Amino acid sequence: MRRLLSGLLVVCLVAGLTGCSMESQQSNENNFSPASRDFFAMNTYIRLEAYGDGAADALAQAQERMEELEGLWSVTDENSEIYAVNHSGGQPISVSDDTAAVVSFALDMAEETGGALEPTIYPVLTAWGFTTGEHHVPEPEEIDKLLTSVDYHSVSLNGNTIQLEPGMMMDLGAVGKGYASDEIASLLRKSGITSALLNLGGNILMIGSKPDGGDWRLGLQDPFENGTIGVLTASECAVVTSGNYENYFTAEDGTTYGHIIDPATGYPVDNDLAAVTIVAQDGKLCDALSTSLFVMGADAAIGYWQEHPGFEMILITQDRQILITDGLDGQFSLDATHSDMKIDVVER
Ligand code: ADP
Ligand code: MG
C-alpha cells in the first residue's frame, strides 16, 4: 500500500488543519499569516510554513534543497548516489558530503541501537514488496538467505567513498526525512526565519514558537483508528513518530504486516508497541530513534532512554497504554474521546 497521507502527526494550527494540495501558496500579508509550500518528495507529502519577512523565498529554497537530497538518496532513481552504491557490484563509489554525512549518521545509530536501526535492510523490505507495492509474505528460506547479506558492519565508509559487499543494498528511509528537516531548518534560520513549522510526512520540526509566542500544538495520530489521540505542545524541537499502522498490508490469512522490519528476524515488527514518538532537538536523531525504538519494543526502548540523554518519548502500546518520559510531563493531553486511555510517566 502506497502511503497516501504519511503524516503520523496532524498539525493543528489556529488557522485550521493543514491541507495536502500539491501547489504552493505564498501569502505573507503580516507576521501572523505564514508563507507555505506543499509538495511531494521522499515518498511523502511535505508542508512547510514559515513566518516573517522573506519567508516565501526561504521556503522556495527549502523545497529545492529537499529535492536535491531526494535526488541523491532515492533508491529507485537511477541517477541517485544511493542507486549507484546499491548497483556497484561491490565497487567503491564516491558520494557527496550530504550522502557521506547521512550514511555516517545511520551507521553510528545502527551501532548505538545494537542493530535495531539497520540501513542495509533494503533487500528484505523488497522481498516483502514494500518497495514496489506488490506485497506478499516471503518464504522463510528466502528471508534467511537475504538476511545473510544484511549487516551494517559490512558497509565501508571512508571519507566520501562508500563500498558495500556485492548483493548488499542500503536504504535511508528511516533517517532521510529527519536529516532533510535539519537541513531545511538550518537554511531557514540562515535566512532569518525565527518561527516555522516543517511537516515532512509526519517528521515535524519546529523553529522557535508560534509567531504569537505560544507553543505549537501537534495532534498525535491514533495508531488504532483514524483521528488523533491527544495533543502535544512544544516549540523549538523535532517530533517524529513511527509505527506499523500506516504503511502496511493485510495477508490472505488476515495478518497485517508493516514496513518497519525487525532486522533480527527479517519480519515486520510485531511487538508490544503500536507507535513511538520521539522529541529532541535534532530531526535526524528523532527519525533514527523512532524507527529503532519501535523495533526494540517498550522495555528495551525505556532502557535505551534511561541510558541516553538528549531525547524524550511517547510510547503507545498495543494494549492502549501511553508511556511518557518525564521530560514531557505536562506537555501531552488526551483528547476527550480518548479519556479512557491511561498515561504513565516514566522516570530516569
Ligand atoms: P516513515 O518513513 O514512514 O516516516 P520510518 O522513519 O520509521 O517511517 O522509516 C521506515 C522506513 O525505513 C521503511 O519504509 C524502510 O525504508 C526503512 N526501514 C524499515 N525497517 C528498518 C530498520 N529496522 N532499520 C532501518 N531502516 C528500516
Ligand atoms: Mg525513522
Side-chain angles (χ1 to χ4, degrees):
M1 186 181 82
R2 179 89 181 260
R3 256 174 299 183
L4 284 181
L5 240 187
S6 187
L8 292 173
L9 287 155
V10 182
V11 180
C12 313
L13 287 171
V14 209
L17 290 178
T18 58
C20 281
S21 70
M22 303 293 284
E23 79 259 23
S24 62
Q25 312 155 2
Q26 303 185 351
S27 70
N28 195 18
E29 288 154 23
N30 60 49
N31 281 347
F32 291 94
S33 144
S36 67
R37 277 188 104 79
D38 295 274
F39 55 100
F40 193 81
M42 294 192 182
N43 250 338
T44 197
Y45 289 104
I46 316 274
R47 182 175 177 86
L48 311 178
E49 294 181 350
Y51 295 81
D53 292 341
D57 286 346
L59 290 186
Q61 285 178 39
Q63 179 173 350
E64 272 177 36
R65 177 73 174 129
M66 179 87 195
E67 285 164 354
E68 178 189 15
L69 295 176
E70 177 181 33
L72 296 174
W73 303 338
S74 164
V75 273
T76 50
D77 177 352
E78 294 181 12
N79 298 312
S80 86
E81 292 187 341
I82 290 299
Y83 190 94
V85 167
N86 286 347
H87 296 83
S88 62
Q91 294 305 306
I93 299 289
S94 177
V95 298
S96 60
D97 289 348
D98 282 319
T99 302
V102 74
V103 168
S104 168
F105 173 74
L107 294 175
D108 287 350
M109 290 305 297
E111 183 72 20
E112 198 65 37
T113 61
L117 189 83
E118 176 47 89
T120 68
I121 199 70
Y122 188 69
V124 177
L125 203 73
T126 304
W128 284 90
F130 282 110
T131 53
T132 57
E134 287 160 24
H135 300 117
H136 71 282
V137 181
E139 294 299 325
E141 297 75 30
E142 187 188 357
I143 294 179
D144 287 346
K145 185 162 171 281
L146 290 172
L147 280 178
T148 60
S149 60
V150 169
D151 185 1
Y152 70 91
H153 293 101
S154 302
V155 178
S156 123
L157 174 70
N158 281 310
N160 284 40
T161 303
I162 303 178
Q163 188 166 17
L164 302 184
E165 285 179 4
M168 283 183 82
M169 289 198 176
M170 297 193 72
D171 153 31
L172 299 169
V175 293
K177 284 188 298 226
Y179 185 101
S181 72
D182 294 333
E183 286 300 299
I184 289 178
S186 107
L187 196 149
L188 295 183
R189 287 194 168 101
K190 276 188 203 138
S191 304
I193 302 296
T194 55
S195 173
L197 180 64
L198 316 177
N199 183 352
L200 283 61
N203 277 242
I204 308 284
L205 194 148
M206 293 155 273
I207 297 182
S209 46
K210 287 197 301 186
D212 66 5
D215 277 342
W216 306 97
R217 293 167 55 77
L218 307 180
L220 209 62
Q221 172 73 48
D222 184 340
F224 305 109
E225 56 194 274
N226 282 339
T228 58
I229 215 163
V231 173
L232 177 71
T233 52
S235 57
E236 186 60 29
C237 65
V239 180
V240 178
T241 300
S242 284
N244 259 349
Y245 54 89
E246 185 191 59
N247 184 1
Y248 65 90
F249 73 97
T250 306
E252 277 166 19
D253 68 357
T255 313
T256 58
Y257 296 101
H259 70 141
I260 301 175
I261 308 284
D262 181 349
T265 63
Y267 279 73
V269 171
D270 179 18
N271 61 26
D272 56 354
L273 287 174
V276 174
T277 297
I278 306 289
V279 182
Q281 286 304 302
D282 198 41
K284 62 184 179 302
L285 179 69
C286 290
D287 203 358
L289 288 179
S290 67
T291 309
S292 51
L293 299 197
F294 180 70
V295 170
M296 287 182 197
D299 285 349
I302 290 169
Y304 187 95
W305 173 77
Q306 283 165 337
E307 302 280 305
H308 293 81
F311 77 98
E312 302 294 337
M313 64 184 179
I314 301 175
L315 305 179
I316 303 177
T317 66
Q318 295 284 5
D319 58 10
R320 299 178 68 85
Q321 197 190 4
I322 302 181
L323 301 165
I324 296 191
T325 55
D326 58 9
L328 292 179
D329 197 8
Q331 276 176 256
F332 181 72
S333 56
L334 282 170
D335 290 345
T337 48
H338 287 75
S339 50
D340 61 306
M341 292 180 83
K342 195 165 153 269
I343 301 184
D344 280 322
V345 177
V346 183
E347 310 207 327
R348 268 214 164 76

